[in-house]
Amino acid sequence: HTMILEGTIKNVKQVDLYVYAEGGTNPYIDTIRVRGGEFTYERRLSGPEVLTLLFPNFYEIPLIAKPGEEVRLIADASNLSATVVKGTKENELLTEFRHATNGKGDSEKRLAAQQFIYDNVTTLAAVAIFREQFVKAESPLYSEVQPLLDTLSVAQPHNENFRSMLVRFTPQLLC
């Protein structure tokens, strides 16, 4: 089964983006070539994955990819925080979170992330937000991380993306 990611990026003619998956059983990185502000990326997937789209300025956008589904990205290179990812409910949730927390401080983002995770605990979107706001944080707070880990572990016991993230990142989170 193949997932398709199509995109339009205003104010850019040609650029290379990177897309990578850290979770699941097969981490990888690929290049997406944007030409004329447009791109199409296809990838065979064995199951749902959390992907991260990396822009040349190191801005990252998490997205959810599922076999057989199409995802659409609409961005403006001059304002990447306003990027819209649509096509699936979980990507729309991630877009709403990104827009709602744009311009907020780290502590406000972490509080919003905690609420998002509790409200969407059974989704890959919750795993994506956990990774973005806590795993990749410069100094994650154990008091915030542990209850979220416990909640996600109970809610998603068979989620390969979450389990592989736990194995790889738990030691650094709990230091």
Side-chain angles (χ1 to χ4, degrees):
H1 295 149
T2 302
M3 70 77 65
I4 298 171
L5 171 62
E6 293 182 334
T8 303
I9 305 175
K10 294 179 190 173
N11 295 316
V12 69
K13 291 194 184 328
Q14 183 172 318
V15 71
D16 287 348
L17 308 178
Y18 297 98
V19 61
Y20 63 92
E22 297 176 272
T25 55
N26 190 19
Y28 62 86
I29 186 166
D30 267 343
T31 302
I32 297 176
R33 303 207 183 283
V34 178
R35 301 297 180 256
E38 305 277 329
F39 69 87
T40 299
Y41 172 74
E42 295 184 23
R43 179 151 186 104
R44 290 187 65 77
L45 300 176
S46 58
E49 290 186 1
V50 177
L51 302 181
T52 301
L53 195 59
L54 177 63
F55 288 81
N57 65 352
F58 301 104
Y59 188 81
E60 293 184 332
I61 295 179
L63 56 96
I64 308 304
K66 294 182 180 177
E69 291 190 350
E70 288 189 28
V71 176
R72 180 93 179 122
L73 179 133
I74 302 162
D76 184 331
S78 64
N79 185 13
L80 291 173
S81 63
T83 298
V84 173
V85 181
K86 58 185 181 177
T88 67
K89 177 67 175 156
E90 289 191 58
N91 283 306
E92 290 166 11
L93 285 170
L94 290 172
T95 295
E96 289 170 17
F97 177 83
R98 188 172 45 260
H99 292 174
T101 58
N102 185 29
K104 301 226 188 281
D106 289 345
S107 62
E108 279 183 279
K109 281 185 181 179
R110 282 196 312 270
L111 284 173
Q114 289 172 348
Q115 191 59 55
F116 181 93
I117 292 165
Y118 288 126
D119 290 347
N120 301 285
V121 70
T122 60
T123 68
L124 271 178
V127 174
I129 293 298
F130 179 79
R131 180 181 295 148
E132 179 182 69
Q133 296 296 319
F134 298 99
V135 172
K136 293 182 176 182
E138 282 187 33
S139 53
L141 301 174
Y142 178 78
S143 61
E144 293 175 344
V145 170
Q146 191 59 53
L148 294 170
L149 280 174
D150 294 344
T151 299
L152 285 166
S153 295
V154 169
Q156 301 193 36
H158 304 294
N159 180 330
E160 190 61 41
N161 282 271
F162 179 67
R163 287 199 336 236
S164 67
M165 182 184 65
L166 273 180
V167 168
R168 289 181 44 217
F169 294 114
T170 299
Q172 79 185 47
L173 284 172
L174 303 180
C175 291

